[in-house]
Amino acid sequence: MNKATTMLSGGYSLMTTGEVADYLRLKERTIYEMVARKAIPFSRATGKLLFPRRLIDAWLEAQAELPQAGLAPPPLIYAGSNDPLLEWAMRQSGAGLAVLANGSVHGLEELAAARAVLAGCHLIDPDTGSWNLVAVQNYLPGSGHVVIHWARRVQGLLTPPGNPAGLRGLADAAASGLRFALRGDGAGSQLLLEVLMRREGITPSDLSIVPRAAETHADLAALIETGEADCGFGLKAAAGRLGFIPLVEDESFDLAMRRRDYFDPPVQTLLSFCRSEEFARRAAYLGGYDITDLGTVRQNR
């Protein structure tokens, strides 16, 4: 391909409509038709259609017609967003799933590339305000996937105990000049924070950002507890004795997987454990979880 691709800060290459048409040896009109059917991975994050190169490559591999006997099953790995209740449940249930929690976007990419059996995400669509289904359709085009609801969660500002600066929201955090801890690129919480900031007219330059991004919600809380940061955006469940100002009280966290993997022992063992009283007690102890609809099928295609 002669045309240069757009490079993101994280090193990911993005192709334009013309470039992906050249790459796949199709007409641009065909690419637009595939986007309309959500049959190819794409993004509208910059206001125009862009196509992540590595997702296009993963999508091409998924389209290959190979003998079923020659296909290795995906490894028993949970990839995606860090969730304290989910990761505790995977350990306690004996589901046999290893955890690779590097953010919602990473989880869907790993699932698309068959490097994980389960992906957790909480990705809001800025245009509709809906959770996860648009992202799943973009990253997992075609059929054969199911989305299961995990929980509704509360996210907000974590502060030192007692909220000594008297913060009421993001605008106060920006105006005060307090040291603000961020999550990593691709984390659902970081993407949600960016949506909230745009709604309030706040830019990253308005925040005094600490150098090190928090890898998990527990890491974010630790940065504040140890005095390395003054505040950050994360889960109520991770706040513990810290101060907490709720900003989003109905975030939807969902699990995506291949339909055939839904019926296998790892997923069924996990979901069975989540119907136990022990699990309900843990959710109540952590706080900030509504597990009323846990296990509900949100999408099956």
Side-chain angles (χ1 to χ4, degrees):
M1 184 173 59
N2 295 325
K3 298 179 182 179
T5 56
T6 302
M7 296 299 296
L8 294 176
S9 60
Y12 303 136
S13 61
L14 296 173
M15 294 185 281
T16 64
T17 304
E19 289 168 346
V20 79
D22 289 346
Y23 188 60
L24 299 178
R25 299 181 183 179
L26 297 173
K27 295 181 179 180
E28 286 191 41
R29 182 177 64 185
T30 302
I31 299 298
Y32 285 118
E33 291 173 352
M34 295 173 74
V35 167
R37 300 196 309 270
K38 300 186 184 300
I40 189 172
F42 67 94
S43 171
R44 294 187 188 272
T46 61
K48 63 179 181 179
L49 284 175
L50 292 172
F51 302 82
R53 169 68 179 268
R54 67 174 183 170
L55 290 184
I56 293 297
D57 289 339
W59 173 77
L60 280 173
E61 291 180 7
Q63 310 310 306
E65 296 185 5
L66 299 174
Q68 191 64 33
L71 292 176
L76 295 180
I77 291 175
Y78 165 81
S81 182
N82 161 238
D83 179 79
L85 180 62
L86 174 60
E87 292 174 27
W88 174 84
M90 284 190 286
R91 293 192 300 270
Q92 295 298 312
S93 66
L97 293 165
V99 176
L100 183 62
N102 287 333
S104 294
V105 170
H106 178 266
L108 293 177
E109 291 173 344
E110 293 296 285
L111 185 62
R115 291 191 292 264
V117 72
L118 191 63
C121 59
H122 55 116
L123 295 167
I124 191 171
D125 178 49
D127 296 327
T128 65
S130 63
W131 293 96
N132 300 320
L133 297 187
V134 172
V136 168
Q137 289 170 357
N138 290 344
Y139 284 94
L140 304 173
S143 60
H145 292 91
V146 60
V147 178
I148 305 298
H149 181 64
W150 175 251
R152 290 201 172 273
R153 311 188 305 179
V154 180
Q155 292 240 42
L157 285 177
L158 277 67
T159 74
N163 185 17
L167 298 181
R168 294 170 296 176
L170 287 174
D172 287 347
S176 66
L178 296 178
R179 297 167 300 163
F180 201 104
L182 299 179
R183 295 292 309 284
D185 293 338
S189 294
Q190 180 59 29
L191 297 173
L192 176 57
L193 172 63
E194 293 169 6
V195 170
L196 297 178
M197 289 171 58
R198 286 195 294 270
R199 289 177 181 174
E200 297 197 27
I202 300 171
T203 66
S205 62
D206 295 325
L207 299 176
S208 179
I209 299 171
V210 301
R212 181 168 72 86
E215 296 182 1
T216 66
H217 289 282
D219 190 22
L220 175 68
L223 286 174
I224 298 169
E225 289 174 346
T226 59
E228 297 178 62
D230 299 312
C231 58
F233 181 75
L235 282 176
K236 180 179 180 180
R241 297 178 181 177
L242 295 174
F244 182 79
I245 301 101
L247 299 180
V248 178
E249 303 197 47
D250 61 347
E251 177 200 67
S252 182
F253 190 102
D254 296 318
L255 302 174
M257 67 209 78
R258 296 185 306 173
R259 187 185 299 119
R260 61 188 176 189
D261 293 327
Y262 170 76
F263 297 100
D264 284 347
V267 174
Q268 289 301 311
T269 298
L270 173 64
L271 293 178
S272 177
F273 175 76
C274 293
R275 293 190 286 270
S276 69
E277 292 185 6
E278 181 183 0
F279 176 81
R281 287 194 299 269
R282 185 71 174 194
Y285 166 76
L286 289 172
Y289 285 101
D290 179 354
I291 57 173
T292 305
D293 297 321
L294 193 154
T296 301
V297 177
R298 295 200 62 211
Q299 185 177 81
N300 184 5
R301 58 183 176 87

